Amino acid sequence: MSNYPAILYVEDDARSARIMKMLLTGTMNLQHVNIFEESSDFIERVEALSPQPDVIFLDIHVKPYDGFEMLQMLRAHPNYRNVPVVALTASVMNEEVEQLRVAGFDSCFAKPLDIDQFPDRLQRVLNGEVMWYILS
Amino acid sequence: MDNHTMTVSAVSPEMDTVDELKLKIEQLQKENAGLRQDLADANIEIEAVVDEFQRTQVEIEQAKKDVERAKEQAERANNVKSAFLASMSHELRTPLNSIINFSKFVAQGVMGPVNDEQREALGEVIDSGKHLLSLINDVLDMSKIEAGALRLFMEDNVNVTTLLESALSTAKSLVADKPVDVTLEIEKTLPLIRADRQRLLQVMLNILSNACKFTEKGSIRIKAHNNDDTVVLSVTDSGPGIAKEDQAAVFEPFKQTDTGLRQGGGTGLGMPISRKLAEAHGGTLWLESQKGEGATFFVAIPVTKPATSPSA
């Protein structure tokens, strides 16, 4: 099991969450994978994580706080200001992607998730690359 | 003054000056009355014209308001359409995430051993899922274009080389094990352009996926060169070519050529969408081909020209 990277994923769709879990802990053999199925007490729960996340994936249509609100909370927090935050969403019409970009997400991965490309893309995000190529 | 002269000459010479003058005054008074009447008539006419003018102005104002209202209604309808299409996209993509990826996990043997037959069947599920995804994307794009709701997100300094390198790697995976050589040739002095990166990549991938689909052997050459403040991207394949009479249909939605229908299995929307996207960049997309001699698709994008929204 690999200790790095520690990953947080916020996703309220149980199937999408399960796919990500199988990919990260199964295929990629990562040890520190946390999934929140809703976003209440979001920052408090992120602060309680050990180890702290190296990268955060956010679904956009989450309650009570949506992806944009969670991003704002993270960016307002000194510990998470520079953690890569990736939108993982099925809303990938151009307008919506532009909103994500303007809001300050570091990257966007489209659903359906390309699980074959995912390990490489994750590495690139961790290296500080910004990826808006959502066509695959 | 001819009238006066005649009037005066008609008066008898015996008449005295006073009578003459009286007569003249009467004449003049009559004329004056006539002129007054004329003036009054003219005034009435002017008033009528002014009235008419004011009515027309009111009508124009009303028409302006009607147009404004119609425009607002159309904009509202477009926003509703856009929102609907966006939510459709989201709702259709979410289940596809499960269909494609759970099938992949099972096929990979993550959930226990699978035999070849099962793996092959799962491969069909995955391919169909991906196909469905591309159909959904195309139909939604076309709907957006027809609704006038497609917007580009233009960026300055888009690097065509990076974009084409990404398209090249996709094309290489698309030709798979066919004996087709895919090459990329880029002019060294190519300028950065103003473009919607994602949409331009989509255009090139549409062209390339057609080239890969129809080319069984030979080559697919991707090129880019600079021509008078226009960057011209082209894809030349050694496929079956497109007969002159079939070339217009390539750019019409839902019209595929005979060859296309036999081999393609797509929506036939890729090229119409791509042409609209090129036009939205202020550019053009065209093809040159002869039956049996391969085809070249060209995309010309102006280096600096600002883009507009594509219209239906």
Side-chain angles (χ1 to χ4, degrees):
Chain A
M1 295 279 259
S2 174
N3 272 318
Y4 178 85
I7 291 176
L8 170 63
Y9 180 30
V10 186
E11 172 62 81
D12 65 350
D13 174 52
R15 294 190 185 102
S16 300
R18 194 171 157 209
I19 288 165
M20 193 65 155
K21 189 154 195 152
M22 287 172 73
L23 174 64
L24 295 171
T25 60
T27 314
M28 296 179 68
N29 206 20
L30 300 180
Q31 198 176 346
H32 301 294
V33 176
N34 277 285
I35 296 178
F36 295 174
E37 289 177 9
E38 39 76 36
S39 55
S40 57
D41 304 321
F42 176 63
I43 279 292
E44 291 80 357
R45 285 158 73 203
V46 179
E47 283 173 335
L49 292 174
S50 175
Q52 286 285 287
D54 297 302
V55 57
I56 298 170
F57 290 92
L58 299 179
D59 180 35
I60 300 304
H61 302 268
V62 181
K63 284 174 185 162
Y65 304 114
D66 69 19
F68 293 101
E69 290 166 322
M70 285 187 278
L71 177 72
Q72 274 190 349
M73 292 179 205
L74 290 166
R75 291 300 184 232
H77 193 290
N79 295 1
Y80 309 119
R81 193 162 291 152
N82 298 314
V83 174
V85 181
V86 180
L88 214 166
T89 177
S91 296
V92 290
M93 300 292 270
N94 244 22
E95 292 76 2
E96 300 162 303
V97 175
E98 185 60 15
Q99 281 172 16
L100 297 172
R101 201 195 304 242
V102 169
F105 279 92
D106 293 296
S107 287
C108 171
F109 290 4
K111 285 183 204 164
L113 191 64
D114 188 332
I115 60 171
D116 304 318
Q117 299 276 341
F118 186 87
D120 171 58
R121 289 183 183 168
L122 173 61
Q123 193 53 54
R124 287 160 65 183
V125 167
L126 288 165
N127 291 344
E129 202 173 316
V130 171
M131 274 182 289
W132 294 95
Y133 296 95
I134 54 160
L135 292 161
S136 51
Chain B
M1 297 311 276
D2 277 1
N3 276 346
H4 291 258
T5 321
M6 287 201 29
T7 317
V8 173
S9 63
V11 176
S12 122
E14 291 89 48
M15 277 186 149
D16 60 19
T17 344
V18 176
D19 283 340
E20 243 175 74
L21 280 173
K22 265 187 187 169
L23 206 61
K24 261 192 186 172
I25 287 167
E26 267 171 35
Q27 285 287 346
L28 285 171
Q29 274 173 341
K30 262 186 210 163
E31 272 174 42
N32 200 3
L35 286 172
R36 270 175 207 241
Q37 189 55 49
D38 285 351
L39 189 63
D41 289 351
N43 266 340
I44 288 168
E45 265 175 55
I46 287 169
E47 270 166 31
V49 170
V50 168
D51 267 4
E52 184 64 29
F53 183 71
Q54 279 169 342
R55 252 199 312 280
T56 311
Q57 256 189 333
V58 170
E59 276 167 22
I60 288 171
E61 282 309 313
Q62 187 57 44
K64 268 191 195 162
K65 274 182 200 154
D66 288 350
V67 168
E68 204 55 46
R69 222 182 351 258
K71 204 178 137 203
E72 276 166 25
Q73 268 174 3
E75 270 164 17
R76 253 201 312 278
N78 255 358
N79 288 341
V80 170
K81 265 188 215 166
S82 287
F84 173 75
L85 291 170
S87 106
M88 274 297 273
S89 167
H90 181 265
E91 295 310 316
L92 295 170
R93 280 173 158 266
T94 303
L96 273 175
N97 191 32
S98 297
I99 292 169
I100 294 171
N101 286 323
F102 281 116
S103 303
K104 276 191 186 172
F105 284 128
V106 177
Q108 283 168 5
V110 173
M111 291 156 159
V114 276
N115 65 34
D116 288 347
E117 207 179 346
Q118 290 164 337
R119 190 172 295 112
E120 202 202 312
L122 287 165
E124 299 289 0
V125 175
I126 294 162
D127 286 348
S128 301
K130 285 182 179 168
H131 187 200
L132 184 53
L133 179 61
S134 73
L135 297 183
I136 290 167
N137 290 343
D138 279 359
V139 169
L140 290 174
D141 270 353
M142 203 64 220
S143 312
K144 291 212 102 180
I145 289 168
E146 304 224 311
L150 187 91
R151 283 172 53 213
L152 293 185
F153 292 98
M154 303 297 280
E155 285 177 273
D156 288 316
N157 305 327
V158 171
N159 188 331
V160 176
T161 306
T162 317
L163 194 130
L164 289 183
E165 277 166 357
S166 152
L168 173 73
S169 85
T170 306
K172 280 185 172 162
S173 72
L174 286 176
V175 294
D177 43 11
K178 290 197 281 191
V180 177
D181 191 26
V182 190
T183 60
L184 176 59
E185 197 180 306
I186 297 175
E187 197 177 54
K188 278 210 180 77
T189 56
L190 210 61
L192 299 174
I193 61 169
R194 182 172 162 75
D196 182 324
R197 208 187 288 262
Q198 197 186 315
R199 291 303 195 174
L200 190 55
L201 179 63
Q202 180 182 354
V203 170
M204 294 315 289
L205 289 179
N206 271 335
I207 294 173
L208 280 166
S209 79
N210 277 349
C212 295
K213 205 184 288 173
F214 293 115
T215 308
E216 289 308 320
K217 61 179 179 9
S219 64
I220 294 171
R221 308 203 178 286
I222 310 167
K223 286 184 190 168
H225 72 274
N226 189 20
N227 182 15
D228 288 343
D229 289 334
T230 301
V231 168
V232 182
L233 315 176
S234 67
V235 175
T236 304
D237 67 55
S238 61
I242 303 161
K244 282 272 177 283
E245 63 270 25
D246 288 337
Q247 289 183 6
V250 170
F251 299 105
E252 284 171 41
F254 303 105
K255 278 197 183 169
Q256 287 185 324
T257 63
D258 284 346
T259 326
L261 283 172
R262 260 183 278 120
Q263 274 185 279
T267 47
L269 288 173
M271 279 304 120
I273 290 169
S274 298
R275 177 172 264 185
K276 291 287 186 195
L277 290 175
E279 287 168 358
H281 278 85
T284 46
L285 193 164
W286 74 99
L287 80 91
E288 286 173 10
S289 178
Q290 278 182 357
K291 188 127 187 92
E293 310 224 333
T296 302
F297 282 81
F298 296 90
V299 181
I301 303 290
V303 177
T304 48
K305 196 173 169 187
T308 54
S309 277
S311 56

